[in-house]
Amino acid sequence: GGRAQLRLVVNAGSLLEESDQRGGAHYLEHMMFNGTEAYPQNELVRVLQRFGSEFGPDINAYTSYDETVYELQVPTDSRATLDTAIDVLYEWASKATIDADDVESERGVLVEEWRLRSQGFWGRYFDSVDDILLADSPYADQDPLGTLEDLESVTPESLRRFYDDWYRPNLMAVVAVGDFDVDRMEASIRDRFGALENPVNGPDRPSPTTAPFGEPATLVLVDEELPNAFVELNYPMPVDAAPTVGLLRRELAFSVALDVIVTRLQEDALGGDVPFFDPSFAANPLVRAQQSPGLATSADPGNLSAATEALLTEVERMIRYGMSPGELDRAVGELRQSVDVGLASADSTQDWEFASQYVGNFLSGTPIPDAETAHDLSISILDAMTVEQVTDTFGALITSTEPLIIVAGPSASADLIPNDDDLIDTYARVLRANIEPRGDSAQVADGLMAAPDPVDIVDRSELFPLGVVVLELENGVTFAHNQTDIAAGFVSFGAVSPGGWSLVADSDVTEIQYSPSIVTRSGVAGFDQVELERILSGVTAGVAPYVDITSEGWFGGAATADLETLFQLIHLYMTRPRIDDAALSIFDSEVRPLVENPDLVPNIAVLGELVDLRYGGDERFSILPTVEDLDSFDLDTALAAFAERFSDADDFIFGVAGDFEVDEIEELAARYLGTLPTVESDESWVDVQPDPPPGVVTSTVAAGTGSLGGVTFLFVEEVPLDPVTTLEAAVLEQVMNQRLTERIREQLSATYSPTAAVDVLGEPDAVIEVYIDVSADPAGLDAVSEAILDDLADLRANGPTADELAIAQEQLIREFELISNEIWVDTMLFYLSNSDEDPNDVNRRIARVAAVTRQDVRDLARQVVPGDHYIEVRLVPAS
């Protein structure tokens, strides 16, 4: 409620660029925020920000090969706001100025976006994959981002020509979804857009196609910035343009077969003794005319050939032998559960989801059936599936093309990585191999556990004035719940307990910090991870534990229909956790390459240096363990440490929010939380956190082989905290982000997406941390750093302008108007864990934000971003 999602959809992307327009479609998208007839230069963004919309979350756009889509979210409580938003769409559609000076000033922003997206491993990966998957198609050499040379040579004239040719009524649509009067909205759109005319003799919009591969292709990437090796298979196929029931049947059958393959590989990996780990689905859906489903898995560099053979073998096994009835039932059950949950949640479908459906319908003709029709059709297809039909469908589609086999690994292991000929030989060997069918004799347990008898609820109260019901169970556990209709058919869950790893012996800190990841890959109770995942097939429920410096807890959620499974998982992980060698081996394989070479990945290198400087090299606070930590990691110690933190439920507070029946949720809590073991204790965390360093500390990190650079600041200041200060910090964050965007991006044209975060931390010390991160040209870091520090000095001296403050206040007020179940859970856990805090502060937030003054923000800035003590880390390329 109270919002509108608006889209201007242009069925034109980089595919349509001529030779002098490479990168121009995306460049033009940027220019739409830099000047239209009614909104010169950056005024358009400022106007929308004054309504509470934020650049990025609410004001955005994207350009692909096929289309350009502009996105707005605006409040609808003012007709003037909504009218202005429609005016903005109209200006984008027909009134772009594309001023030469504005084009030139935006060029640096485009270059920095190119640098950010292309000058790392994944940029090189996508460039290479695009070149192969789109070769010999109209999409070849039409990358939306363009090259550095393209961006430096784009002219206002070439952009204007693209705009005049392709931004025209018969290639555009306006999408509006939200809390507004439909008739008035339609009239408003017709008013503005109805008079637009198509150009005379405008160029025809092509409808390109792609072809399946006639022979296998390979891509071997050996990269200095890649810590982990992996294998990926893509099977490129043309997209069927005619959406029919038959097409849906084929897509569902193919999904079922691919799901069975991935499940087989995952079970093999969890069982150990295979040359790969973390197998998954993979795809590179680059353009509307092509799909590229497939598989991926990680592997040690020396096992890449064997991992490639394993993936190809499972695909070939499915082609030859199909699957067992049990495998079909489990895979269909997963899909059926997803479809059922989709119907159950239909009444709370978000506006942006509807908007996405309408955009897809305009661009691709994707059908938009009502929720019940979509559900019933999918269920009828799933119910009719047979092993033979799924096998035949999969075989026909997979054998209609040939794979792209991708292998990637670190330069340090170049001699272990197979070459193109090796991969082709492996593929040929698999095709002629004597592959045996795979049996499926595994039995699936009836359930996780028998339901215990419920304990008594000894006290019932309300967290006033939030309306949250708080129960004290017989064993001392606190359980809170809040029934909402925010997300139909879903419930969010959380729990918190004081202590964290601050209570663990220094020698065991590594084990406790990483135990949650390993424990939740080891199964639970009497079930290993393979057995557990089979039991959970077709169930939408999951939980994840965490342990931080001062607390431990849980977060998770479930479909309403699967709430009992959620509570059973919590009960078993807290009473019968397990840990096994296979899970540790997978964890070690994932982490060790980064641990051995932490400077391989630029952002990890910067964060590692920042944290090291902040905590004085205390290894307990490092973002990665050491090699010695991994070598000495002890499973028994990890399990004992995990059990020690989670086995006593006495000081845990559990909370749920969402769509549930009160009687049912209270009974589940009484059965599964009320029977958790408790030991009366008064446990709390210990302050083991080092103080930040005095003065100004600077460092330069050389990492990465591309041309990435950046400046990162961290300010840590002890500040007396109260609810008003917390809100002033939120206002300061909004102001700082406005200023970074205006000064560093728009005025200096020196970055793409600058970020400021102002975090209020009550434990273990009452501090406010200010984090600023700006990516930039390595050659221009002095200027960027100086501009940031100058702007902070101005903020300390003068505070924000009246306009900056008004925008920040409006953005926060609009943010506070919206709430999710996850926010509800966090809120109830916070107030129940901090009895000295007043829950009514939630209801005071909007009034308090509105009362913040420029002097308040200036005074806080003087406290938390001082000019004489902070940490600054710069990133430059390793070369």
Side-chain angles (χ1 to χ4, degrees):
R3 296 293 185 275
Q5 292 282 349
L6 304 174
R7 305 287 185 268
L8 175 69
V9 190
V10 186
N11 190 14
S14 62
L15 166 71
L16 306 177
E17 294 166 354
E18 297 177 1
S19 58
D20 66 333
Q21 297 173 322
R22 296 288 187 262
H26 178 231
Y27 206 131
L28 182 60
E29 172 215 308
H30 275 241
M31 294 310 303
M32 297 302 219
F33 297 91
N34 284 272
T36 66
E37 290 184 10
Y39 304 103
Q41 296 183 315
N42 304 120
E43 182 59 23
L44 182 148
V45 173
R46 301 297 286 180
V47 166
L48 292 169
Q49 286 177 326
R50 292 182 188 114
F51 300 146
S53 299
E54 294 185 46
F55 192 51
D58 305 319
I59 310 165
N60 217 325
Y62 74 85
T63 302
S64 71
Y65 285 92
D66 291 297
E67 73 263 5
T68 306
V69 179
Y70 298 88
E71 305 171 339
L72 293 181
Q73 175 180 276
V74 296
T76 59
D77 48 8
S78 162
R79 182 67 203 178
T81 300
L82 206 51
D83 285 343
T84 300
I86 298 299
D87 282 339
V88 168
L89 298 187
Y90 171 73
E91 291 278 312
W92 281 336
S94 62
K95 301 295 182 181
T97 51
I98 317 180
D99 177 79
D101 290 340
D102 294 339
V103 171
E104 195 56 41
S105 67
E106 189 69 11
R107 198 180 303 276
V109 177
L110 269 297
V111 169
E112 288 310 311
E113 183 177 1
W114 169 86
R115 195 189 309 277
L116 196 62
R117 296 186 189 278
S118 70
Q119 294 298 287
F121 166 74
W122 288 108
R124 294 186 284 276
Y125 165 90
F126 282 114
D127 283 346
S128 300
V129 169
D130 287 18
D131 288 346
I132 295 174
L133 285 178
L134 303 179
D136 301 321
S137 81
Y139 295 102
D141 301 319
Q142 299 288 136
D143 185 345
L145 206 56
T147 66
L148 181 58
E149 293 74 18
D150 294 332
L151 297 177
E152 291 175 339
S153 61
V154 165
T155 66
E157 292 75 24
S158 65
L159 295 179
R160 169 59 64 183
R161 195 170 74 253
F162 189 95
Y163 185 69
D164 291 342
D165 283 345
W166 303 113
Y167 278 58
R168 63 194 202 214
N170 60 2
L171 292 179
M172 293 194 289
V174 174
V175 172
V177 182
D179 186 12
F180 49 69
D181 181 278
V182 172
D183 291 337
R184 287 194 66 180
M185 175 60 75
E186 285 194 6
S188 179
I189 293 171
R190 291 180 191 278
D191 249 5
R192 290 165 177 80
F193 292 88
L196 294 183
E197 296 180 356
N198 290 300
V200 178
N201 300 320
D204 292 334
R205 204 295 189 190
S207 298
T209 59
T210 62
F213 277 19
E215 57 185 28
T218 59
L219 173 61
V220 178
L221 294 168
V222 180
D223 199 286
E224 290 185 25
E225 291 185 36
L226 179 62
N228 299 88
F230 66 87
V231 178
E232 183 178 344
L233 304 181
N234 286 174
Y235 289 87
M237 309 172 194
V239 171
D240 192 329
T244 63
V245 173
L247 176 61
L248 178 61
R249 182 178 292 109
R250 289 197 302 276
E251 289 175 344
L252 290 175
F254 187 86
S255 296
V256 165
L258 207 58
D259 182 74
V260 170
I261 293 174
V262 171
T263 300
R264 288 175 175 179
L265 293 167
Q266 289 173 340
E267 291 183 352
D268 290 345
L270 292 169
D273 297 325
V274 292
F276 57 85
F277 56 94
D278 286 346
S280 65
F281 301 98
N284 282 297
L286 304 173
V287 297
R288 293 206 300 256
Q290 184 187 69
Q291 56 184 326
S292 58
L295 308 166
T297 191
S298 297
D300 294 330
N303 288 331
L304 284 170
S305 289
T308 302
E309 185 167 354
L311 296 190
L312 290 167
T313 297
E314 281 309 320
V315 173
E316 185 64 19
R317 197 190 317 272
M318 180 63 70
I319 293 170
R320 296 185 193 180
Y321 304 112
M323 66 199 71
S324 71
E327 289 176 315
L328 176 67
D329 288 344
R330 286 192 293 275
V332 167
E334 291 277 359
L335 270 176
R336 183 183 286 111
Q337 169 70 2
S338 175
V339 171
D340 285 342
V341 167
L343 180 62
S345 63
D347 287 344
S348 59
T349 301
Q350 298 296 300
D351 291 349
W352 65 265
E353 296 178 78
F354 283 118
S356 295
Q357 292 175 25
Y358 301 148
V359 169
N361 177 264
F362 172 70
L363 293 172
S364 305
T366 309
I368 315 177
D370 65 86
E372 188 170 350
T373 299
H375 169 271
D376 293 350
L377 176 58
S378 295
I379 291 296
S380 67
I381 292 172
L382 292 172
D383 286 345
M385 276 187 182
T386 64
V387 169
E388 292 75 16
Q389 178 227 336
V390 172
T391 303
D392 290 347
T393 299
F394 180 80
L397 289 173
I398 283 290
T399 57
S400 71
T401 189
E402 294 286 351
L404 165 59
I405 305 170
I406 305 168
V407 166
S411 297
S413 303
D415 56 333
L416 301 176
I417 297 172
N419 59 35
D420 296 284
D421 290 339
D422 295 332
L423 296 177
I424 294 297
D425 288 345
T426 298
Y427 181 53
R429 185 168 62 252
V430 168
L431 292 182
R432 63 176 182 265
N434 181 23
I435 300 171
E436 296 295 325
R438 183 166 177 143
D440 180 39
S441 57
Q443 298 297 310
V444 180
D446 290 337
L448 287 171
M449 62 180 291
D453 292 332
V455 303
D456 290 337
I457 297 170
V458 298
D459 187 58
R460 180 187 300 271
S461 59
E462 180 181 326
L463 186 61
F464 182 82
L466 303 182
V468 172
V469 176
V470 183
L471 309 179
E472 182 184 344
L473 305 179
E474 190 177 319
N475 60 348
V477 165
T478 299
F479 174 69
H481 63 75
N482 186 34
Q483 192 179 34
T484 78
D485 58 0
I486 294 170
F490 282 96
V491 175
S492 293
F493 168 87
V496 66
S497 166
W501 60 257
S502 70
L503 301 183
V504 175
D506 289 355
S507 59
D508 299 339
V509 166
T510 298
E511 276 79 3
I512 188 59
Q513 286 177 336
Y514 296 101
S515 65
S517 174
I518 302 171
V519 164
T520 50
R521 291 177 170 181
S522 300
V524 72
F527 309 108
D528 63 28
Q529 191 66 16
V530 172
E531 293 168 322
L532 177 60
E533 292 190 1
R534 289 194 172 200
I535 294 171
L536 297 179
S537 177
V539 172
T540 301
V543 293
Y546 71 88
V547 181
D548 64 24
I549 181 173
T550 60
S551 67
E552 60 276 337
W554 299 87
F555 57 90
T560 303
D562 295 319
L563 274 174
E564 185 164 13
T565 301
L566 175 77
F567 280 85
Q568 289 177 338
L569 285 169
I570 287 292
H571 183 97
L572 290 176
Y573 276 125
M574 293 185 69
T575 58
R576 299 177 64 190
R578 55 184 284 160
I579 200 164
D580 62 35
D581 290 324
L584 175 60
S585 177
I586 292 172
F587 169 77
D588 188 276
S589 295
E590 290 172 342
V591 174
R592 187 174 291 272
L594 274 176
V595 170
E596 292 177 341
N597 298 284
D599 292 337
L600 282 179
V601 182
N603 63 327
I604 291 179
V606 169
L607 183 59
E609 178 72 0
L610 193 72
V611 169
D612 191 47
L613 294 173
R614 160 63 182 90
Y615 296 105
D618 189 327
E619 290 184 355
R620 295 173 299 177
F621 292 86
S622 295
I623 64 171
L624 291 168
T626 65
V627 172
E628 293 73 23
D629 288 334
L630 290 181
D631 289 343
S632 62
F633 196 96
D634 184 73
L635 282 179
D636 292 336
T637 300
L639 183 60
F642 182 91
E644 195 275 331
R645 298 309 320 140
F646 287 94
S647 61
D648 176 16
D650 179 69
D651 57 359
F652 269 88
I653 298 170
F654 299 87
V656 297
D659 180 13
F660 55 79
E661 296 296 329
V662 171
D663 290 345
E664 178 188 9
I665 207 83
E666 293 188 352
E667 181 185 2
L668 291 172
R671 286 186 186 277
Y672 294 104
L673 304 182
T675 53
L676 291 171
T678 57
V679 177
E680 287 193 19
S681 62
D682 189 22
E683 191 173 67
S684 185
W685 48 266
V686 176
D687 188 356
V688 297
Q689 180 170 268
D691 292 331
V696 175
V697 179
T698 62
S699 177
T700 297
V701 171
T705 60
S707 60
L708 284 174
V711 179
T712 302
F713 287 92
L714 180 65
F715 300 79
V716 183
E717 296 299 320
E718 290 195 22
V719 177
L721 298 180
D722 58 59
V724 173
T725 302
T726 298
L727 291 173
E728 289 172 352
V731 173
L732 176 63
E733 177 178 296
Q734 299 293 97
V735 168
M736 289 177 67
N737 276 296
Q738 286 181 60
R739 286 178 159 232
L740 283 173
T741 299
E742 178 65 25
R743 179 77 185 275
I744 312 298
R745 174 176 164 139
E746 302 303 339
Q747 292 181 16
L748 296 183
S749 194
T751 191
Y752 170 63
S753 183
T755 300
V758 181
D759 295 324
V760 178
L761 306 174
E763 299 172 355
D765 301 310
V767 301
I768 292 181
E769 291 187 353
V770 178
Y771 172 85
I772 299 171
D773 183 60
V774 178
S775 63
D777 184 345
L781 299 186
D782 285 344
V784 169
S785 176
E786 183 180 347
I788 294 171
L789 292 174
D790 285 349
D791 195 68
L792 294 179
D794 178 75
L795 200 53
R796 292 192 298 270
N798 303 308
T801 66
D803 195 40
E804 288 170 341
L805 176 63
I807 287 173
Q809 290 170 315
E810 188 67 16
Q811 288 173 334
L812 282 172
I813 288 169
R814 294 304 181 178
E815 180 182 319
F816 294 154
E817 289 175 348
L818 303 178
I819 194 166
S820 66
N821 286 327
E822 290 79 11
I823 292 175
W824 264 119
V825 170
D826 289 344
T827 300
M828 66 176 75
L829 294 181
F830 173 79
Y831 285 108
L832 291 172
S833 300
N834 297 275
S835 57
D836 55 331
E837 299 284 350
D838 182 1
N840 202 36
D841 286 333
V842 172
N843 296 325
R844 301 184 180 113
R845 291 181 305 172
I846 290 178
R848 283 173 169 168
V849 164
V852 172
T853 67
R854 293 172 60 197
Q855 182 171 332
D856 292 333
V857 179
R858 184 195 66 181
D859 292 345
L860 185 62
R862 289 176 173 178
Q863 290 181 276
V864 302
V865 284
D868 58 356
H869 49 286
Y870 54 83
I871 300 170
E872 178 183 0
V873 177
R874 297 188 183 186
L875 169 68
V876 298
S879 58

